[in-house]
Amino acid sequence: MANAYRIAPDMNFIKEIGKLGGQDLKKCFQCATCSVVCPISTDNKPFPRKEMIAASWGLKDKLVSDLDIWLCHNCGDCSTLCPRGAKPGDVLSAIRSCAIGEYATPKALARAVRDPKMLPILFAVPAVIFLAVGLVLKLFGIHWLNFGPEGDFVWQAQYINNYLVDIIMLPTAAFAVGVFALGLKRFLTDIHQSAVAEGKTDKTKIDPIGFIKALAIVIPTILKHEKFNECTENRERSTSHMMVLFGFIGLFIVTNCFFIAEWIFHIEGPYSQINPVKWLGNAGGVALVIGSLFLIKNRLSKKDQVSGYWDWYLVSLVLILGLTGLLTQMSRLGGLAGLSVFLYIIHLMCVWCLFAYTPFSKLAHIVYRTVAMAYNEYSGRK
Ligand code: SF4
Ligand code: SF4
């Protein structure tokens, strides 16, 4: 006889899913069309039908540790073909955002990042930090801006262009890495226990070498967006998504190159426009702007799919990041020093928000989905 399973519905979880875009959840009548049409659903325990019923019962613990919610990339095929308009793709997206909040610490920050009313406060935080650190450094004789002999603005300002990036951004990035590390440890343990309990794998424990090999297999799949390209409804979103991903990768490389140039080889910026690293930076910025604009266009045109604050927060942040980065450079080259500094500070505030809030925001999917896909590969599931 099968083991008895006591159902303990979490009504707040059902309400939370509704608020995050899964408001049509209760329309589901379990026809299983969604699991049949999903281009990437698994043969062993297919999704998303089973997630729909678990969500309507409020089974939060079961769902936040469900590997399958991360295999879905919200292509929308199931939502378009669902005969009841229950939007299973959006329900899975809402469950993922609950899972991100569940694995991130501190929880209060996770709730704040999901709450539009908290947005002004979240964006004020970097401004306060920049100001406070700048005032302290001023006491030690470090100027906010540098001026040349003619009184003209010199870009290699001590605080704004130099210490601000290193003193503030590095600890912020370290904070994000720490939050992810703690969350991933619990996440991996939970998805493994859940997969074993549900018979998705016969592996009894996670072998680190085997898991790293699985990771090496799935990373090219992710970079090439192979799963994304299997969908029908939203295939064009794959290109824009890829532009944003590669934009970030390019800018990550550029940041590291210039960090090494400055702190190891003591080569101060701004760097020449014919420097290939600079080309990569400009290409990354353009990719962010164009990719995010296409993502916005796609979301606005898909009336049958839900786009909530969770989605708009991320795509808007990416757009503002790209625009302020490019406009800072253009205004500097155009001799508009004041405007350039203003735009650069806005840009740095966005970068800080990106670093600090990533483990709590939709962007965390890049980490959780990668780990989940690697686990799925490792588990040997078909
Ligand atoms: S979500 Fe729609 S397609 Fe899926 S089982 Fe429910 S009613 Fe059927
Ligand atoms: S949104 Fe796409 S990937 Fe996700 S469950 Fe539906 S069909 Fe599958």
Side-chain angles (χ1 to χ4, degrees), residues 72 88 93 118-119 171 177 184 217 237 250 265-266 270 273 278 292 366 370:
C72 160
S93 172
M118 295 299 290
L119 185 64
V177 170
L184 280 178
I217 293 170
R237 211 174 77 209
F265 299 106
H266 305 293
Q273 290 299 319
K278 196 89 178 176
S292 55
I366 199 168
T370 303

Side-chain angles (χ1 to χ4, degrees), residues 34 37-41 47-48 71-79 88-90 92 96 231:
C34 49
V37 299
C38 174
I40 55 171
S41 185
F47 61 89
L71 303 183
C72 160
H73 54 272
N74 204 6
C75 70
D77 286 8
C78 58
S79 294
D90 294 314
L92 257 60
R96 282 193 293 275
C231 77

Side-chain angles (χ1 to χ4, degrees), residues 10 51 63 79-80 82 94 109 112 152 173-174 185 202 207 212 219 232 234 236 268 302 329:
D10 182 334
E51 281 72 20
L63 284 168
S79 294
T80 304
C82 168
L109 187 49
D152 52 324
K185 190 166 174 281
D202 52 11
D207 155 40
I212 290 168
I219 284 176
T232 314
N234 263 322
E236 72 276 12
E268 289 283 339
K302 296 282 173 192
Q329 178 174 244

Side-chain angles (χ1 to χ4, degrees), residues 112-116 118-119 122 307-314:
V113 172
R114 285 211 298 259
D115 183 354
M118 295 299 290
L119 185 64
L122 292 179
S307 292
Y309 171 70
W310 183 252
D311 307 294
W312 291 122
Y313 167 83
L314 178 60

